[in-house]
Amino acid sequence: MDNSYKRLEKSSTNRMICGVCGGIGNYFNIDPTIIRLLMVIFGCTGTGIVAYFIAAIVIPNEGEGR
């Protein structure tokens, strides 16, 4: 039985700060630049900055927890 499923993980190769946007882009199979632009727009509210750093803490690095 194949246990292959997608996991949301921070990217270790496609990262600017913590790899959160790269990991989200990999998970949804879209360009991480689009995610970064959305995070910048969302970050202007102040809530986006908090959400990013919570995601950086909660989302595991690539290869961890397997």
Side-chain angles (χ1 to χ4, degrees):
M1 186 168 180
D2 187 20
N3 268 347
S4 62
Y5 57 93
K6 286 180 117 177
R7 289 177 41 105
L8 179 58
E9 300 174 322
K10 292 186 281 188
S11 176
S12 61
T13 57
N14 193 358
R15 61 189 315 157
M16 292 287 179
I17 299 174
C18 294
V20 173
C21 294
I24 292 171
N26 290 339
Y27 184 79
F28 289 110
N29 200 22
I30 58 175
D31 187 11
T33 306
I34 295 170
I35 303 297
R36 289 184 185 107
L37 290 173
L38 291 173
M39 286 301 291
V40 167
I41 292 168
F42 189 53
C44 291
T45 63
T47 309
I49 297 168
V50 173
Y52 182 87
F53 286 110
I54 289 173
I57 294 168
V58 172
I59 298 173
N61 292 324
E62 273 183 332
E64 286 184 2
R66 287 189 179 179

